[in-house]
């Protein structure tokens, strides 16, 4: 598969109150043709700044942006053949839907017949064939976002960039639009870069996810890879829920490490990208859904502090025994009819199979 977009050592600096602020630091990335890549991270991590540099709305302080083999670092945004879907739709309220979608084609001076054909094709792609004579304020939020997407698709861009396009929609509509955007992207084999801070959006829509923090890349990988084998504590905690439990690595055998957690020997698989060293500080990463209240050899000694009924599951909050730490962790158990809640104050083993935990370097 060929490379559609390449970032080489992209950095963006700002100066504020005579102090330099590094928004994006030395980002390197290759995006393949037809790939859906999500930039994921908390507010202020540099994901939107990176997207805006790719679009041409901002200029990197240093580094290169290549579209295919072409260096577009200093080429104006309107000459990059990229489409940008904004968070707030950015539709013209005084124009009908047809004219909103046709706007870019008219600027290109395309013929009226070509415009009519392309606009109707684009509206059909997003399921709005019958809306061309309506105005934006006559459409729902989800429909307006689909118009914004059609306005980009009609220009046949090489790359589509989306900056938190679903953040203004209600929860049910966001779920629907996730499916629609992914369906269109796959059907048309579009290269798509998508910015969000919503981990569920990233996990359900992406071929790969780039997790960013403080302007740097923490990890890039498939959703399953990031969830199952996080490289850092930040990635583990940001992608889904995770218990991060400190200990000392005692030994390694067949890629399974044994750590000491408050006097108990616990085993888990070694992290691939950031493993701890024998004798050093380790961090056990284990997801709440991988813990069970069971008496096995591979279990944490805990005391239940609270139970939260979530409908399909019960989330138990617990503290580790034999420690002065007051930190709370969680265990998530599927709810079965007739199940009884475990009372606060109950002491038990929170157990897991070694392959369900990952050991990271904590030094």
């Amino acid at each position: 598969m060929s490379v559609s977009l390449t970032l080489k050592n992209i950095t963006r600096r700002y100066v504020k109150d005579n102090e330099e602020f590094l928004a994006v630091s030395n980002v390197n990335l290759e995006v393949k043709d037809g790939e859906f890549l999500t930039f994921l991270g908390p507010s202020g991590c540099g994901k939107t700044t990176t997207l805006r540099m790719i679009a041409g709305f901002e200029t990197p302080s240093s580094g290169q942006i290549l579209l295919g083999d072409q260096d577009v670092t200093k080429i104006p945004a309107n000459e990059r053949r990229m489409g940008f879907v904004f968070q707030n739709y950015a539709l013209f309220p005084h124009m009908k839907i047809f004219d909103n979608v046709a706007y870019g084609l008219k600027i290109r001076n395309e013929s009226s017949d070509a415009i009519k054909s392309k606009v109707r094709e684009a509206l059909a792609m997003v399921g709005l064939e019958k809306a061309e004579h309506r105005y934006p304020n006559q459409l729902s939020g989800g429909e307006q976002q689909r118009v914004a997407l059609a306005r980009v698709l009609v220009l046949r861009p090489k790359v589509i960039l989306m900056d938190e396009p679903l953040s203004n929609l209600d929860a049910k509509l966001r779920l629907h639009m996730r499916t629609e955007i992914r369906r269109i992207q796959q059907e048309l084999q579009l290269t798509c870069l998508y910015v969000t801070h919503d981990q569920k959006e990233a996990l359900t829509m992406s071929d790969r996810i780039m997790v960013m923090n403080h302007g740097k890349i923490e990890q890039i990988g498939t959703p399953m890879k990031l969830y199952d084998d996080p490289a850092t504590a930040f990635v583990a905690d940001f992608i889904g829920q995770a218990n991060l439990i400190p200990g000392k690595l005692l030994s390694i055998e067949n890629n399974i490490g044994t750590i000491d957690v408050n006097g108990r020997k616990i085993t888990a698989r070694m992290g691939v990208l950031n493993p701890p060293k024998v004798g050093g500080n380790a961090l056990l990463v284990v997801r709440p859904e991988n813990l069970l209240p069971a008496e096995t050899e591979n279990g944490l000694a805990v005391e239940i502090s609270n139970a939260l009924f979530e409908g399909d599951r019960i989330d138990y909050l617990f503290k580790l025994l034999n420690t002065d730490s007051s930190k709370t962790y969680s265990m998530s158990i599927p709810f079965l009819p007739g199940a009884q809640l475990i009372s606060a104050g109950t002491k038990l083993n929170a157990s897991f199979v070694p392959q369900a935990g990952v050991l990271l370097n904590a030094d």
Side-chain angles (χ1 to χ4, degrees), residues 71-336:
D71 187 340
V72 297
T73 312
K74 296 183 180 179
I75 291 179
N78 62 339
E79 296 178 18
R80 293 194 183 191
R81 291 198 62 190
M82 297 184 186
F84 202 100
V85 180
F86 295 91
Q87 182 177 348
N88 61 354
Y89 320 142
L91 302 178
F92 298 112
H94 62 288
M95 290 185 183
K96 291 182 178 180
I97 299 309
F98 182 95
D99 297 313
N100 264 283
V101 177
Y103 184 78
L105 297 175
K106 290 178 179 178
I107 289 178
R108 288 183 179 178
N109 293 318
E110 297 207 17
S111 69
S112 59
D113 286 343
I115 290 174
K116 186 179 295 185
S117 174
K118 289 181 180 180
V119 168
R120 287 177 175 168
E121 181 185 9
L123 287 173
M125 287 178 193
V126 299
L128 290 175
E129 307 96 313
K130 299 179 180 179
E132 63 179 73
H133 298 300
R134 299 165 72 184
Y135 288 93
N137 64 4
Q138 295 175 310
L139 302 181
S140 68
E143 289 171 329
Q144 290 184 53
Q145 191 56 279
R146 280 192 274 168
V147 173
L149 181 57
R151 186 176 55 187
V152 168
L153 294 175
V154 79
L155 298 174
R156 313 287 172 86
K158 290 185 176 181
V159 178
I160 289 184
L161 312 174
M162 299 188 182
D163 186 13
E164 304 205 39
L166 307 184
S167 60
N168 291 331
L169 304 180
D170 62 52
K172 188 173 182 179
L173 199 49
R174 279 202 304 273
L175 289 173
H176 174 69
M177 284 304 298
R178 282 182 206 167
T179 305
E180 283 297 291
I181 289 173
R182 183 59 164 153
R183 176 187 64 79
I184 292 167
Q185 181 267 334
Q186 289 180 316
E187 283 184 4
L188 301 180
Q189 296 183 328
L190 300 169
T191 302
C192 182
L193 302 184
Y194 189 98
V195 164
T196 185
H197 62 269
D198 186 322
Q199 55 177 282
K200 287 188 177 179
E201 274 184 29
L203 289 171
T204 56
M205 297 176 72
S206 313
D207 293 312
R208 286 192 303 157
I209 300 171
M210 180 173 80
V211 182
M212 297 187 70
N213 187 29
H214 297 304
K216 296 181 179 181
I217 298 174
E218 287 270 336
Q219 189 176 357
I220 303 176
T222 65
M224 286 185 179
K225 183 67 174 175
L226 294 184
Y227 192 84
D228 193 46
D229 195 18
T232 66
F234 177 84
V235 174
D237 201 34
F238 200 83
I239 301 283
Q241 286 185 296
N243 296 304
L244 307 177
I245 299 169
K248 287 277 188 181
L249 184 62
L250 302 176
S251 63
I252 305 172
E253 185 176 350
N254 297 326
N255 203 42
I256 298 294
T258 299
I259 64 169
D260 181 289
V261 177
N262 304 327
R264 282 212 175 188
K265 291 181 179 180
I266 307 294
T267 57
R269 59 191 162 90
M270 300 293 290
V272 174
L273 298 175
N274 185 26
K277 296 178 180 178
V278 174
N281 292 315
L283 196 64
L284 169 63
V285 178
V286 59
R287 303 287 181 184
E289 65 270 21
N290 290 331
L291 291 171
L292 287 172
E295 290 296 329
T296 70
E297 292 182 1
N298 206 49
L300 300 161
V302 309
E303 180 178 338
I304 301 297
S305 57
N306 203 355
L308 306 174
F309 178 60
E310 300 283 352
D312 61 336
R313 68 185 193 277
I314 303 170
D315 290 340
Y316 289 103
L317 305 183
F318 64 82
K319 295 179 181 179
L320 296 177
L321 295 176
N322 306 316
T323 176
D324 295 331
S325 174
S326 60
K327 185 172 176 58
T328 300
Y329 303 95
S330 64
M331 172 171 54
S332 185
I333 309 299
F335 173 70
L336 298 175

